[in-house]
Amino acid sequence: GEDVEQSLFLSVREGDSSVINCTYTDSSSTYLYWYKQEPGAGLQLLTYIFSNMDMKQDQRLTVLLNKKDKHLSLRIADTQTGDSAIYFCAEKALERSQGNLIFGKGTKLSVKP
Amino acid sequence: DTGVSQDPRHKITKRGQNVTFRCDPISEHNRLYWYRQTLGQGPEFLTYFQNEAQLEKSRLLSDRFSAERPKGSFSTLEIQRTEQGDSAMYLCASSVSPGTPSGGALYEQYFGPGTRLTVT
C-alpha cells in the first residue's frame, strides 16, 4: 500500500539543527518532496530528491535518503523562529497515476528563542 | 509571476447549500490539481486536469463534487448539498507536465493559499 509517515512534533532551540524524519512504503522509483505550511497558508515547496540520490543540499536545508530503509530526512541548519511551521513529506511514484502526491500528516516544528 | 491564487479564501455555508471555489494556476502551467486538507492531516488528492481534460478523480470525490477547467486555464470546484464533513481546506496546485519545453520533469506542484470551507 501507499503510505507516508512522519513524527508529529519536534521542538528545538533557535540556532540548533532540526531533523525531521519521514518513511515511505512505495518501492517504485519516486520523487520525494518537502513542503512547509505556515498557519492559515498553503504549502510552500522547499526541496525535492529523486530516489537514485543519497543526499541533496540547498543552503540551510539538507535532504538525506536511505532508499534501502525507505527513510527520508530533512535537516535545517541554524534553525530560526521563522522556521516554525508544519513540514510535510510527500512522495510521487512514477509507476502510479500521473496526478497525485501522497502526503504524510506533517511534523509541527516549534522553535524556541 | 503571481503564483497560484484561490478565491474565496474563506467560505461559511449552511448544510445543504452549494458552494463553488475558483483556482487560477501559474500561467504557463498546464496541469492543475485539487486537494482537500482536514485538521491535523496532510493534503489528500481529489482530482487533476491536464489542459481542459480531467484525467483522474480519486474515490474521495463523491458525486456531489464536480470540477471543471473549461478553457484550460482557471478551474472551479463545486460542492453540491454540502455536509458538515465537507468542512476542510481546499487546496489547488499547478505544475507543468513532464517533457514540456519549460522543464517539469520533476512533477513539482506549486500550491495556492487554499479556501477554508466551514459547513454549519
Side-chain angles (χ1 to χ4, degrees):
Chain A
E2 306 161 350
D3 200 11
V4 176
E5 295 195 355
Q6 304 176 236
S7 52
L8 295 182
F9 300 99
L10 177 65
S11 180
V12 300
R13 292 208 173 274
E14 192 173 19
D16 288 350
S17 292
S18 307
V19 180
I20 302 171
N21 295 301
C22 170
T23 58
Y24 61 99
T25 56
D26 201 315
S27 58
S28 62
S29 298
T30 191
Y31 290 98
L32 296 148
Y33 305 85
W34 285 103
Y35 283 86
K36 175 184 179 183
Q37 187 176 36
E38 298 185 66
L43 278 71
Q44 175 192 355
L45 178 62
L46 291 177
T47 188
Y48 64 88
I49 191 168
F50 187 50
S51 57
N52 68 352
M53 299 166 65
D54 297 324
M55 185 184 85
K56 180 179 180 182
Q57 187 156 2
D58 185 359
Q59 299 182 332
R60 292 191 297 123
L61 304 179
T62 302
V63 179
L64 294 177
L65 177 61
N66 181 329
K67 189 177 180 181
K68 174 177 171 289
D69 294 337
K70 299 190 184 70
H71 181 268
L72 182 75
S73 68
L74 174 69
R75 179 177 180 269
I76 306 172
D78 186 26
T79 313
Q80 303 297 307
T81 54
D83 295 324
S84 293
I86 300 176
Y87 290 81
F88 291 95
C89 170
E91 66 110 7
K92 171 76 180 81
L94 296 181
E95 289 182 359
R96 215 191 318 114
S97 73
Q98 292 285 321
N100 53 320
L101 300 179
I102 302 294
F103 285 84
K105 292 185 177 182
T107 299
K108 185 174 183 179
L109 174 64
S110 298
V111 182
K112 298 179 180 178
Chain B
D1 182 1
T2 57
V4 179
S5 61
Q6 293 187 245
D7 184 67
R9 295 292 308 276
H10 304 274
K11 178 71 177 178
I12 300 174
T13 191
K14 292 186 177 179
R15 186 166 53 93
Q17 298 294 304
N18 299 344
V19 293
T20 301
F21 310 140
R22 176 178 169 127
C23 171
D24 287 87
I26 293 171
S27 58
E28 62 268 26
H29 285 184
N30 58 348
R31 286 192 172 182
L32 187 149
Y33 311 80
W34 286 100
Y35 289 81
R36 182 180 72 182
Q37 184 181 23
T38 54
L39 197 62
Q41 303 293 318
E44 296 173 292
F45 171 76
L46 293 177
T47 187
Y48 93 98
F49 294 83
Q50 180 159 315
N51 301 312
E52 64 276 7
Q54 188 173 17
L55 296 187
E56 187 177 351
K57 294 191 276 189
S58 87
R59 55 185 164 77
L60 293 176
L61 208 70
S62 76
D63 291 345
R64 295 184 298 105
F65 288 67
S66 63
E68 294 183 345
R69 196 183 183 199
K71 297 181 181 178
S73 56
F74 73 91
S75 174
T76 58
L77 178 67
E78 181 184 16
I79 309 174
Q80 296 181 327
R81 304 181 304 281
T82 52
E83 301 173 355
Q84 287 185 323
D86 297 330
S87 295
M89 175 83 90
Y90 289 84
L91 294 163
C92 175
S94 70
S95 74
V96 295
S97 54
T100 55
S102 58
L106 301 173
Y107 302 93
E108 295 174 26
Q109 296 184 18
Y110 294 88
F111 283 78
T115 294
R116 180 166 295 284
L117 173 66
T118 303
V119 182
T120 62

